[in-house]
């Protein structure tokens, strides 16, 4: 089968701007003519093999950047936004969406921000009628969504923070482990660490220089919180510089992102990139053994696996998602072509929802999305105790997976019949944009399809999808 042509004009322009070269100088470095480079940057021509090799040799560019950029994410997000009822009569061909995502990604993101603002305002006014006319009703994207999109479009990998955490961990090995090193680092700046029977996981008092950690929390949670406090106190300049580059629209988004970056550092310090990637490959991504090796929880390990996208040294491209009992997605990331619904819950046919029924067990699933891409999905519950009798239990389920071509690197995929088409469960992203016409679990009709209602006939659904 002929290989698919690679159109990556926006990525070429991004690389050229990154190395600060004019089109003429960039073309000379790549060994092509100026008109040819111009045509590639405008997606009038595919990126040639000569250019791919030159990018690697002249600039040390990881060529997988060309094919694993934002395009698929933008296409998925734009399709969902365009399926909004307010735009239901405007039918935008998929080819046009792909063209916008590849040729005008900045415009595509601006459209998504505008749609976010519209949805937030619409939902606020629908639920808070009394807010009409108030001056403090703001039309801007949710800070939470803004931060989530920041990590989403960075492939959930923040290079400067990841490398700083790895360096901290490598030095810490000389001090009897990363946690002891973290405690010593806090002591050096006058912080006293106290373990108390407290419902609050972590509480730092800057006036007394006292860090209180709850003994009710699991050991891996306490360790994580110690590292998080270290980065907040000792790596603040790194966090602030990263936040400056991100350019968040509000102080709330910046504050949320700062905690997110601190969390990222803590996880990366517990599971430093090089050692963790080597162990993951050696243990064939056995989450339980990785958990034991690095003193981390199953969820922490799964989340870390989804961040191993360092240019030139990438791991398996995973998707990672966490849902609550209502099916609402509380964490999401995908380094694969699989994207998640930005609004509402995940597909009910996905095994992540069944994990609540089998606590403590891993569930395996072979799944296929409407675009024909096949995946391996691993799901498990990660319920979290409140630490004492009568306290509420937080119940979540996580899913970790990859495209089926990587499944042989996962111990969980052993003995599964990956060559049998009948073994794959049909799943989707969101009912309103799912193209399947015969799904028995469909909750709402697809907005881009014509419905037929038969008054005298009733199947599983009360309508037929055309």
């Amino acid at each position: 089968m002929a290989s698919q042509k690679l159109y990556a004009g926006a990525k070429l322009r991004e690389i050229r701007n990154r190395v600060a070269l004019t089109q003429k100088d960039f073309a000379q470095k790549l060994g092509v003519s100026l008109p040819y480079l111009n045509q590639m940057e405008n997606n009038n021509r595919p990126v040639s093999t000569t250019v791919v090799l030159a990018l690697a040799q002249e600039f040390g560019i990881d060529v997988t950047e060309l094919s694993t950029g934002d395009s698929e994410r933008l296409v998925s997000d734009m399709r969902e936004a365009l399926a909004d009822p307010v735009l239901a009569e405007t039918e935008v061909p998929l080819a046009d969406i792909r063209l916008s995502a590849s040729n005008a990604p900045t415009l595509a993101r601006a459209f998504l921000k505008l749609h976010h603002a519209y949805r937030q305002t619409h939902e606020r006014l629908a639920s808070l009628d009394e807010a009409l006319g108030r001056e403090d009703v703001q039309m801007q994207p949710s800070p939470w969504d803004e931060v989530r999109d920041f990590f989403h479009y960075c492939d959930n990998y923040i290079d400067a923070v990841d490398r700083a955490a790895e360096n901290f961990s490598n030095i810490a090995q000389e001090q009897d482990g990363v946690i002891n090193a973290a405690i010593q680092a806090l002591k050096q700046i006058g912080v006293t660490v106290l373990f108390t029977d407290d419902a609050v996981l972590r509480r730092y008092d800057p006036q007394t220089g006292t860090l209180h950690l709850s003994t009710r929390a699991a050991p891996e949670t306490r360790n994580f919180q110690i590292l998080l406090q270290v980065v907040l106190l000792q790596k603040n300049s790194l966090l602030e510089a990263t936040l400056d580059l991100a350019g968040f629209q509000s102080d709330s988004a910046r504050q949320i992102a700062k905690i997110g970056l601190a969390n990222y550092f803590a996880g990366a310090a517990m599971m430093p990139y090089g050692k963790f990637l080597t162990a993951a490959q050696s243990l064939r991504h056995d989450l339980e053994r990785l958990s034991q090796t690095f003193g981390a929880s199953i969820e922490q390990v799964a989340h870390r696996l989804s961040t191993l996208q360092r240019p030139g040294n990438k791991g398996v491209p995973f998707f990672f998602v966490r849902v609550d009992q209502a099916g609402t997605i509380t964490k999401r990331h995908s380094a694969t072509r699989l994207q998640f619904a930005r609004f509402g819950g995940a597909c009910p046919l996905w095994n992540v929802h069944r994990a609540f029924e089998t606590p403590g067990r891993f569930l395996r699933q072979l799944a296929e999305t409407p675009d024909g891409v096949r995946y391996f999905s691993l799901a498990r519950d990660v319920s979290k105790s409140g630490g004492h009798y009568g306290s509420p239990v937080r119940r979540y389920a996580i899913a970790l997976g990859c495209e089926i071509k990587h499944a042989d690197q996962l111990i969980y995929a052993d003995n599964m019949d990956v060559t049998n088409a009948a073994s794959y469960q049909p799943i989707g992203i969101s009912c309103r944009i799912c193209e399947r016409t015969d799904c028995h679990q469909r909750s709402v009709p697809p907005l881009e399809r014509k419905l037929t209602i038969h008054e005298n006939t009733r199947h599983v659904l009360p309508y037929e999808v055309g």
Side-chain angles (χ1 to χ4, degrees), residues 47-176:
V47 178
S48 66
T49 303
T50 301
V51 170
V52 171
L53 292 175
L55 286 170
Q57 293 171 359
E58 291 288 336
F59 304 103
I61 300 296
D62 181 355
V63 295
T64 58
E65 285 188 52
L66 297 175
S67 58
T68 58
D70 299 344
S71 183
E72 288 300 321
R73 291 181 176 84
L74 286 172
V75 169
S76 177
D77 293 347
M78 289 179 68
R79 286 193 65 205
E80 187 171 3
L82 288 165
D84 193 295
V86 75
L87 299 171
E89 296 181 2
T90 306
E91 206 168 305
V92 181
L94 181 59
D96 288 359
I97 298 175
R98 292 190 181 280
L99 191 64
S100 298
S102 59
N103 278 16
T106 303
L107 180 62
R109 292 193 187 95
F111 167 76
L112 290 172
K113 287 182 179 179
L114 183 63
H115 180 255
H116 290 170
Y118 157 75
R119 277 192 61 91
Q120 185 183 29
T121 303
H122 178 77
E123 291 169 2
R124 180 181 292 139
L125 294 180
S127 60
L128 300 174
D129 289 338
E130 69 274 17
L132 287 172
R134 281 173 41 184
E135 295 180 358
D136 60 343
V137 178
Q138 300 177 355
M139 295 182 63
Q140 63 181 26
S142 159
W144 185 261
D145 286 337
E146 191 181 355
V147 173
R148 189 164 63 172
D149 284 348
F150 164 70
F151 283 100
H152 183 60
Y153 285 107
C154 286
D155 254 349
N156 207 28
Y157 174 77
I158 312 297
D159 189 70
V161 177
D162 205 300
R163 291 183 185 275
E166 184 175 31
N167 184 56
F168 177 89
S169 182
N170 289 339
I171 295 174
Q173 296 308 316
E174 303 173 2
Q175 302 180 37
D176 196 25

Side-chain angles (χ1 to χ4, degrees), residues 2 47 94 97 134 148 154 177 189 213 250 277 289 304-305 335 361 387 392 430-431 453:
V47 178
L94 181 59
I97 298 175
R134 281 173 41 184
R148 189 164 63 172
C154 286
I189 57 175
L213 296 167
S250 67
L277 176 60
R289 293 186 65 186
R304 182 56 170 152
L305 285 172
R361 290 178 51 195
S430 168
C431 284
I453 312 298

Side-chain angles (χ1 to χ4, degrees), residues 175-363:
Q175 302 180 37
D176 196 25
V178 67
I179 302 304
N180 287 332
I183 294 175
Q184 290 302 316
L186 290 172
K187 287 182 178 179
Q188 289 174 7
I189 57 175
V191 176
T192 301
V193 180
L194 297 178
F195 296 92
T196 58
D197 182 23
D198 197 338
V200 180
L201 293 179
R202 174 180 57 88
R203 186 176 71 255
Y204 175 65
D205 185 346
Q207 299 299 321
T208 63
T210 306
L211 173 63
H212 297 266
L213 296 167
S214 175
T215 56
R216 300 181 190 180
E220 59 269 18
T221 300
R222 291 199 300 270
N223 292 343
F224 187 93
Q225 294 299 324
I226 291 172
L227 287 165
L228 191 149
Q229 193 64 57
V230 169
V231 66
L232 288 174
L233 294 176
Q234 288 201 326
K235 304 292 182 180
N236 186 64
S237 59
L238 170 64
L239 301 183
E240 292 295 338
T242 306
L243 293 168
D244 288 341
L245 291 173
F248 291 106
Q249 297 184 38
S250 67
D251 290 339
S252 294
R254 187 181 177 101
Q255 291 167 1
I256 294 170
K258 186 172 184 177
I259 297 300
L261 291 173
N263 284 330
Y264 187 106
F265 183 100
M270 289 178 69
M271 296 164 278
Y273 196 101
K275 293 177 182 177
F276 186 75
L277 176 60
T278 299
Q281 294 170 338
S282 174
L283 298 174
R284 299 187 63 218
H285 302 88
D286 187 322
L287 270 64
E288 290 174 299
R289 293 186 65 186
L290 287 169
S291 173
Q292 295 162 7
T293 301
F294 291 91
S297 68
I298 295 292
E299 181 180 350
Q300 288 169 347
V301 168
H303 196 171
R304 182 56 170 152
L305 285 172
S306 75
T307 69
L308 301 182
Q309 293 300 297
R310 180 176 292 179
N313 190 27
K314 294 186 177 184
V316 170
F318 282 108
F319 63 73
F320 169 79
V321 66
R322 189 182 75 178
V323 303
D324 63 16
Q325 292 183 97
T328 304
I329 296 174
T330 60
K331 288 183 180 180
R332 63 175 172 87
H333 169 65
S334 180
T336 72
R337 284 177 282 181
L338 177 68
Q339 303 305 323
F340 304 117
R342 301 174 67 84
F343 311 104
C347 175
L349 298 178
W350 201 2
N351 66 339
V352 68
H353 302 291
R354 298 199 305 273
F356 292 106
E357 304 169 10
T358 56
R361 290 178 51 195
F362 286 103
L363 299 182

Side-chain angles (χ1 to χ4, degrees), residues 356-374:
F356 292 106
E357 304 169 10
T358 56
R361 290 178 51 195
F362 286 103
L363 299 182
R364 307 184 300 169
Q365 182 184 39
L366 298 178
E368 182 176 341
T369 47
D371 56 5
V373 181
R374 292 176 173 176

Side-chain angles (χ1 to χ4, degrees), residues 197-199 216-217 384-395:
D197 182 23
D198 197 338
R216 300 181 190 180
K384 302 177 181 182
S385 171
H388 63 88
Y389 178 76
S391 63
V393 176
R394 293 174 294 154
R395 301 187 184 277

Side-chain angles (χ1 to χ4, degrees), residues 398-416:
I398 61 170
L400 181 75
C402 61
E403 292 188 25
I404 203 64
K405 62 185 177 183
H406 302 291
D408 60 340
Q409 299 182 54
L410 278 64
I411 193 170
Y412 302 99
D414 289 353
N415 304 317
M416 298 196 78

